[in-house]
């Protein structure tokens, strides 16, 4: 039995499902999850010492690749001065100023420890600011595991949401209206019906939790216009897209200013850190200035802030996102060419350093289309690539990530491997 298998069996005795976050368990693709022991650049090594080219990057944070020397150095230096104070530090000011300078819509920002906390806090803030309760989210968008956001669509287009997890009260879910991503007419209809009750619309500006779905032209501007017209708060959840699709995040790429933005993943450089920020007038409703309570013992943790600052310094290098985008496109375009050559029904797309792979004819534009891909074909491809040392996300419904440490060598090896696998079909 491999060390991976032994570890998984043992882990299941002490940890529910053997994992500390469900998608790690390989339920979607089957088989034994890989236990990692080391990462460097674009590569990871498992418990059996096998190496892989990594296209997960810890689900997005590792835009510089694993264990980037400057990030590790910054972490050591900060840790030597103390792990946490529970009091303000100069580095928090530095990262707050930087986020306000880089992200067009952010005038004030608060640091938290996870994307879940950022989205949950942004929702509470939007409710406190507007004095309204209802929120709109889109099916297939994930905003962390807060009760109000763990909600799936009801059976009709405009029904109230149902809990998508046991333990979420139906009353909580019923304040969430769940609509189809990219369907502006549906959003318009919801606003016509409950406009004066809607506190916020929360959206992933590029959806990355139902594979990758790009916004249709007009979708994000339409959301902006409707929220402005009805006095609702537009929240861009950029936990995944923030500093992943460009230096000004997705809002810079698409030229839309949300009222609030959530950030996570890349801004913590691999450490637990996230943030939410936006218009000063709204942010001023937060305690201790305003009446909306939000707090955290480890918020703005000095070691996490140091990793974030080191990462955000490096992504500002001229041409960083051009190179990352070109590398990610080389991967997706190469995969499409290889699949076509062997008659495999497949397409792919990239936005900045994130990508989607779809075993279907055309790029999906909604949750239903994303769900209609050929899961068996994906699972077969995933396992064959894994076997050959290429680690894609263990689910057909997750976006993939390329880092600045990926280069021609990794892309060429990935494409050659994929071509062999497509040829077997
Ligand atoms: C868009 C989005 N929002 C929120 C979250 C939740 O972040 P975390 O896992 O740090 O709680 C995620 C996690 O993948 C995400 O992709």
């Amino acid at each position: 039995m491999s060390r991976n298998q032994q570890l998984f069996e043992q882990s299941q005795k002490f940890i529910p499902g053997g994992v500390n976050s469900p998608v790690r368990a390989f339920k979607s693709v089957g088989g034994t999850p890989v236990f990692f022991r080391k990462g460097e650049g674009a590569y990871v090594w498992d418990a059996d010492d096998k190496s892989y080219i990594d296209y997960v990057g810890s689900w997005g944070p590792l835009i510089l690749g694993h264990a980037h020397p400057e990030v590790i150095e910054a972490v050591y230096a900060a840790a030597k001065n103390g792990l946490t104070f529970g009091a303000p530090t100069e580095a928090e000011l530095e990262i707050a100023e930087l986020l306000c300078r880089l992200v067009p819509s952010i005038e004030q920002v608060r640091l938290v420890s996870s994307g879940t906390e950022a989205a949950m806090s942004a929702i509470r803030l939007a409710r406190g600011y507007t004095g309204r309760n209802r929120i709109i989210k889109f099916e297939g968008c994930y905003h962390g595991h807060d009760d109000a956001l763990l909600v799936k669509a009801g059976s009709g287009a405009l029904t109230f949401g149902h809990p998508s997890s046991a333990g979420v009260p139906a009353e909580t879910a019923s304040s969430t209206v769940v609509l189809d991503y990219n369907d502006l007419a549906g959003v318009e209809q919801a606003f016509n019906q409950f406009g004066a009750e809607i506190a916020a619309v929360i959206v992933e500006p590029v959806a990355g939790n139902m594979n990758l779905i790009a916004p249709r032209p007009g979708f994000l501007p339409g959301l902006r216009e409707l929220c402005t017209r009805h006095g609702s708060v537009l929240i861009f959840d950029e936990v995944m897209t923030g500093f992943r699709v460009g230096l000004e995040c997705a809002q810079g790429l698409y030229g839309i200013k949300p009222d609030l933005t959530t950030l996570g993943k890349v801004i913590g450089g691999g450490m637990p850190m996230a943030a939410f920020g936006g218009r000063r007038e709204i942010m001023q409703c937060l305690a201790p200035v305003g009446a909306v309570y939000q707090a955290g013992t480890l918020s703005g943790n000095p070691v996490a802030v140091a990793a974030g600052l080191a990462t955000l310094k490096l992504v500002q290098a001229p041409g960083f996102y051009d190179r990352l985008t070109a590398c990610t496109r080389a991967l997706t375009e190469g995969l499409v060419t290889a699949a076509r050559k062997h008659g495999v029904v497949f397409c792919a797309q990239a936005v900045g350093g994130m990508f989607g792979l779809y075993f279907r004819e055309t790029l999906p534009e909604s949750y239903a289309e994303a769900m209609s891909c050929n899961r068996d074909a994906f699972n077969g491809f995933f396992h064959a690539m894994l076997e050959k040392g290429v680690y894609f996300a263990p689910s057909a419904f997750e976006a993939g990530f390329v880092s600045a440490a990926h280069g021609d060598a990794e892309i060429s090896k990935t494409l050659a491997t994929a071509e062999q696998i497509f040829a077997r079909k």
Side-chain angles (χ1 to χ4, degrees):
M1 191 191 280
S2 73
R3 180 91 184 121
N4 273 315
Q5 279 164 325
Q6 278 171 19
L7 289 172
F8 189 46
E9 291 206 353
Q10 280 293 102
S11 294
Q12 288 175 83
K13 290 187 193 152
F14 301 105
I15 304 173
V19 292
N20 281 314
S21 197
V23 73
R24 298 179 193 173
F26 273 35
K27 280 248 175 200
S28 175
V29 289
T32 306
V34 183
F35 279 62
F36 291 121
R37 61 167 195 83
K38 179 186 145 131
E40 193 181 316
Y43 294 85
V44 279
W45 283 261
D46 73 8
D48 293 298
D49 232 9
K50 176 174 168 176
S51 70
Y52 305 82
I53 301 173
D54 180 17
Y55 289 105
V56 181
S58 189
W59 303 96
L62 300 180
I63 197 148
L64 302 173
H66 290 267
H68 189 285
E70 286 187 44
V71 179
I72 300 298
E73 201 44 56
V75 166
Y76 276 146
K80 277 191 208 146
N81 286 330
L83 295 178
T84 175
F85 304 108
T89 61
E90 196 170 332
E92 286 166 80
L93 167 63
E94 198 185 329
I95 201 163
E97 278 185 323
L98 182 62
L99 292 173
C100 291
R101 177 163 66 75
L102 294 177
V103 187
S105 67
I106 298 188
E107 294 172 348
Q108 289 207 313
V109 64
R110 174 142 303 163
L111 301 181
V112 293
S113 301
S114 72
T116 293
E117 230 188 309
M120 175 187 89
S121 307
I123 294 287
R124 183 182 305 141
L125 177 58
R127 285 175 163 157
Y129 170 74
T130 57
R132 304 171 178 180
N133 277 345
R134 274 195 213 294
I135 55 172
I136 290 180
K137 82 174 281 288
F138 297 95
E139 191 167 24
C141 283
Y142 177 66
H143 306 291
H145 59 91
D146 175 46
D147 281 359
L149 296 164
L150 274 187
V151 179
K152 60 178 185 246
S155 46
L158 249 186
T159 54
F160 302 116
H162 298 308
S164 60
S165 158
V168 173
E171 312 85 78
T172 308
S174 69
S175 299
T176 306
V177 178
V178 185
L179 301 174
D180 284 333
Y181 194 82
N182 270 332
D183 175 17
L184 194 57
V187 187
E188 243 172 317
Q189 208 186 327
F191 268 104
N192 287 340
Q193 202 164 331
F194 324 107
E197 296 169 40
I198 295 171
V201 174
I202 185 165
V203 64
E204 288 182 71
V206 177
N209 286 286
M210 45 174 162
N211 210 323
L212 185 156
I213 309 245
R216 266 188 205 138
F219 181 58
L220 299 176
L223 296 183
R224 176 64 281 175
E225 199 276 311
L226 284 166
C227 284
T228 305
R229 190 171 354 135
H230 293 273
S232 306
V233 175
L234 178 61
I235 306 172
F236 271 14
D237 182 348
E238 298 229 38
V239 167
M240 188 182 284
T241 52
F243 302 101
R244 166 57 60 188
V245 300
L247 189 57
E248 293 189 341
C249 309
Q251 53 197 268
L253 201 61
Y254 295 101
I256 306 291
K257 267 193 173 182
D259 301 300
L260 292 178
T261 299
T262 57
L263 296 166
K265 299 191 191 267
V266 171
I267 68 159
M271 296 292 288
M273 188 171 75
F276 63 104
R279 275 169 47 205
R280 185 181 311 274
E281 184 200 350
I282 305 179
M283 294 301 286
Q284 288 285 309
C285 295
L286 274 182
V289 197
V292 178
Y293 193 70
Q294 181 279 331
T297 302
L298 294 178
S299 292
N301 174 266
V303 185
V305 168
L309 278 170
T311 302
L312 291 177
K313 179 179 145 219
L314 291 167
V315 301
Q316 290 177 72
F320 180 92
Y321 285 99
D322 293 340
R323 284 193 297 278
L324 185 71
T325 303
C327 186
T328 314
R329 285 224 177 108
L331 173 72
T332 51
E333 285 168 9
L335 287 172
V336 170
T337 306
R340 297 245 162 95
K341 188 165 154 197
H342 298 286
V344 175
V345 175
F346 175 85
C347 57
Q349 68 180 331
V351 182
M354 60 194 274
F355 64 85
L357 311 179
Y358 324 91
F359 285 84
R360 50 176 270 131
E361 292 283 357
T362 54
L363 299 175
E365 294 195 331
S366 67
Y367 177 75
E369 287 183 7
M371 289 300 120
S372 75
C373 75
N374 183 339
R375 295 177 198 202
D376 292 342
F378 173 84
N379 292 353
F381 175 74
F382 166 82
H383 277 293
M385 293 298 280
L386 189 69
E387 229 259 311
K388 301 248 176 223
V390 181
Y391 185 68
F392 283 118
S395 162
F397 307 112
E398 301 287 350
F401 303 100
V402 167
S403 80
H406 290 72
D408 291 346
E410 288 74 30
I411 302 297
S412 304
K413 179 169 177 225
T414 305
L415 295 180
T417 309
E419 175 145 12
Q420 281 172 19
I421 290 162
F422 288 144
R424 285 190 212 154
K425 303 266 159 194

